[in-house]
Structure formats: C-alpha cells, structure tokens
Amino acid sequence: MIKTTVNTSSGSTAPTGDEVYDVAVIGAGAAGLSAALLLGRARRRVVVIDAGEPRNAPAAHMHGFLSRDGLPPATLLDLGQAEIAHYGVDVIRGRVEHVEPGYGVRLEGGPVLRVRRLLVATGLRDELPDIPGVRERWGRDLLHCPYCHAYEVRDQPLAVLGTHPGAVHQALLLRQWSDDVVLLPHTLDLTAQDREQLKARGLYLIEGEIKQLVVDDDRLRGIELADGRVVPRTAAFLFPRPVPHDELLTRLGCDKDDAGWVVTDRTGRTSVAGVWAVGNVADARAQVVAAAGMGSTAGFAINTDLLDEDVDRAVEQHRHAAAATR
Ligand SMILES: Cc1cc2nc3c(=O)[nH]c(=O)nc-3n(C[C@H](O)[C@H](O)[C@H](O)COP(=O)(O)OP(=O)(O)OC[C@H]3O[C@@H](n4cnc5c(N)ncnc54)[C@H](O)[C@@H]3O)c2cc1C
C-alpha cells in the first residue's frame, strides 16, 4: 500500500475532509499537473492526489517536449510540483480508492475529501508480453514509441517483436531511423500485403517463436528464438496493450466507446456532470506534451464551469438580499 503523505503547499493543515475543494485532480503526471497549474493560477482551491507511479518512470530521458527535450521524466514532474506549490495547490501522496457521486473522494486509508469538480488523470498501464527479459529491459533498450526514443538508437541494428498486430506498422515506421530493422513475427500471422510492404521498405523478416531477450553486462545483445538462433540487436521495440486506469470513471458511470475507452469532449469532459478525464486515461496516444495540453484545456473548461455555478449562486443570493430589503 502507498503511504499517504500530505504536502499542503498553501501552508494549511492536512486535509480533514471538512473543507470543500473546488477541484480534485487525481494523478500528478503531465496531464494532472498542467490542469492543477492552470487552476491554481486561477485561484481555485485545488487538491492533487497522486500514487507516484507515472507511466514513463522506467525511461531515463523524456523526448519530444519542446524546451524540455532529454530531461529525466521525474525532473519534469518535480518541476511541475514546485510550480503548483507556488500557487497554493495541496498535494497528497496516496491512492484514490473510490469517488462517491456528488464527489466525495475517498483516499486509501485516508479521509474523504469533498470537491465540487473532479479531474481524472490517472494514466494507463502497458500490458507487456510474457517473454523473459521483456519486463527487465522495458523503457531501457526495449522501447515502444519511435517518436520518443528511436532517434537515440538511430542507425543501430533494431528488432521489432511481433507480439501485437501493431508491430507491422511499427516496423515500417522504424525504418526511418535505421536501415537494419528485423521484424520477428513470433506468433503473428502476416498477410501477403504485410510481407510485400515489409520487403518493399527494405525490412528483414526472421520467422520463429521468440524464447527470450539476451542481455549481457546490463545491455540488450540480441533476441533468442526457440530453435536456439540468436539475432544480434542493440535495441528492440514492441507494441504493448494499453490498459487505462479508468476504474474510478467506470464506477461513476462514464460512457465508453466501442473500444472500451472513456468518451470525452474536446475539453476532456465526460458524460458524467462535473467529471473530466485527460491524458493517457482517455487517450493512449497522448505523449507527455499532448497530455499536458489536455490537462491545461480541461483546467480552463473546469474553471468556466465553476464560474457559471458561482455566478448563478451570486445572482440567487443577490435576489434574496434585494427581496429582503423591499
Ligand atoms: C517507457 C516509456 C517511455 C516514454 N517516453 C516518452 C517520451 O520520451 N516522450 C513522451 O512524450 N512520452 C513518453 N512516454 C509516454 C508518457 O509516459 C505519457 O505520455 C505520459 O506519462 C502521460 O501522462 P499522464 O499524466 O496521462 O499519465 P502518467 O504520467 O502515467 O501519470 C498518471 C499518474 O496518476 C497516478 N494514479 C493512477 N491511479 C491513481 C489513483 N487511483 N489515485 C491516485 N493517483 C493515481 C499514477 O500513479 C501516476 O503518477 C513514454 C512511455 C513509456 C511507457
């Protein structure tokens, strides 16, 4: 269990559940932190709850984020946390267990926080194939996103593991970074069109079931097949199955699409009033910069939604006061 710790950057005491926050942000990756930054700067009372397990934690460097290219992923999040602290956002290290309708946010082993709006930015989990070595090398020299990491292994002997139908496209794409790319179809059935495209693009095919990744001196050396052959490679790619951390949204009754992903509008608003979902929990393809953009857009929309409610309340109170003086 993750120990719940509280950093009330506003200088207030630890949340007891008595205060009503304007917004609870669940998940402090790029998506959640960006929303919290915008909302903190809008002087909203915001609490961020984070379990501390961002998706890209296994990677040493993060690429493709303008002005932050090559930064360790944890450094980006540390910088973000320092920025939101400056605007009085409370940060709780812990896991949200459940969200009650009307928004009571229940923390594992902690209080129930009352909130007016909810932003879920809980990311996703990459489901990896059960091949020895895959889990250990993940995010190091076993990679998934050419846009994030292929430049760093350009011109090297690369492999694509055929553990998902997306592997063919991944191999065709990777050819942009190296002229020595081998696709190991493993258990994948390739169509005649796949084979023609791969050949035309100058890719190599090596059939046979993959047994394990060969690692020596903490570096990938190759891919071993069940028949004992070893294909020497210095980096490999595979396409994991993305599984969104959307249990909280599912239990709240948020609509999903045919592929099982929570449906949102362009601001991240779900079908349940007052609930937004951004980043990888809503879109598996969102890279860090896109997740940050989604968070910022949702923060803007949530503040507008709160403003509408604040104005309605103010008008009601104003009318009551005016009636009382008549
Ligand atoms: C190995 C690897 C390398 C990558 N490299 C790059 C790269 O170089 N460049 C790039 O742009 N993208 C990269 N990505 C993609 C990147 O990880 C995602 O784009 C990014 O993490 C999405 O941000 P997010 O805020 O949606 O989710 P996350 O960063 O995953 O953050 C979600 C947070 O929510 C927390 N959480 C989940 N459930 C709960 C709960 N119930 N209660 C409280 N907290 C909870 C998690 O612990 C986590 O801290 C990489 C991905 C992987 C797997």
Side-chain angles (χ1 to χ4, degrees):
M1 191 182 104
I2 295 161
K3 192 173 177 300
T4 301
T5 53
V6 185
N7 171 16
T8 56
S9 45
S10 56
S12 60
T13 52
T16 57
D18 296 337
E19 177 180 4
V20 177
Y21 282 97
D22 289 320
V23 188
V25 174
I26 307 178
L33 287 173
S34 295
L37 179 62
L38 189 132
L39 289 161
R41 285 180 48 76
R43 308 193 73 183
R44 291 293 179 185
R45 280 295 289 136
V46 181
V47 60
V48 176
I49 307 120
D50 184 54
E53 294 164 359
R55 181 183 172 207
N56 56 354
H61 300 104
M62 174 201 70
H63 291 281
F65 195 124
L66 189 66
S67 83
R68 294 287 177 268
D69 188 54
L71 206 68
T75 305
L76 181 83
L77 302 184
D78 288 347
L79 289 168
Q81 295 232 4
E83 284 175 1
I84 63 170
H86 184 67
Y87 298 105
V89 172
D90 287 346
V91 178
I92 299 179
R93 176 75 192 273
R95 185 175 294 281
V96 174
E97 193 173 69
H98 183 62
V99 178
E100 297 159 6
Y103 322 128
V105 175
R106 180 181 293 282
L107 274 69
E108 218 172 54
V112 176
L113 306 176
R114 316 276 1 146
V115 306
R116 295 173 66 194
R117 299 291 182 274
L118 193 69
L119 179 92
V120 177
T122 44
L124 64 76
R125 151 173 86 80
D126 293 289
E127 200 175 88
L128 299 173
D130 198 12
I131 296 174
V134 158
R135 211 158 287 282
E136 293 79 358
R137 303 315 298 172
W138 179 240
R140 303 179 68 194
D141 34 29
L142 177 63
L143 309 159
H144 78 298
C145 168
Y147 297 103
C148 302
H149 302 293
Y151 189 84
E152 282 59 49
V153 294
R154 65 193 180 282
D155 299 325
Q156 293 185 25
L158 306 177
V160 175
L161 313 189
T163 55
H164 184 283
V168 173
H169 172 75
Q170 201 176 33
L172 293 169
L173 176 63
L174 260 185
R175 182 66 180 75
Q176 273 172 237
W177 285 271
S178 172
D179 58 9
D180 182 4
V181 182
V182 170
L183 172 64
L184 300 142
H186 186 49
T187 52
L188 211 61
D189 279 332
L190 299 181
T191 64
Q193 189 191 19
D194 291 337
R195 288 176 188 279
E196 186 183 28
Q197 287 183 344
L198 291 162
K199 196 167 179 193
R201 186 102 168 122
L203 289 138
Y204 305 101
L205 262 183
I206 299 184
E207 314 264 357
E209 200 174 317
I210 297 169
K211 183 180 172 199
Q212 61 179 347
L213 305 195
V214 181
V215 179
D216 183 30
D217 202 15
D218 201 26
R219 289 179 65 181
L220 180 73
R221 302 294 175 180
I223 316 294
E224 185 179 343
L225 301 176
D227 61 12
R229 282 176 296 163
V230 174
V231 185
R233 301 283 100 181
T234 54
F237 285 72
L238 67 73
F239 203 101
R241 193 172 79 86
V243 182
H245 291 301
D246 62 3
E247 303 78 11
L248 301 172
L249 296 162
T250 306
R251 275 189 252 138
L252 279 166
C254 294
D255 286 348
K256 296 197 175 178
D257 63 19
D258 292 342
W261 288 76
V262 166
V263 177
T264 67
D265 71 6
R266 289 170 66 180
T267 73
R269 188 194 295 256
T270 70
S271 60
V272 172
V275 179
W276 274 255
V278 291
N280 276 169
V281 72
D283 180 357
R285 287 188 303 180
Q287 290 182 269
V288 179
V289 72
M294 291 167 86
S296 182
T297 302
F300 193 105
I302 291 170
N303 190 54
T304 307
D305 197 45
L306 286 167
L307 174 67
D308 289 345
E309 187 178 285
D310 293 342
V311 171
D312 286 349
R313 267 194 208 154
V315 168
E316 206 177 304
Q317 283 167 3
H318 173 75
R319 285 181 185 159
H320 271 296
T325 56
R326 259 186 233 132

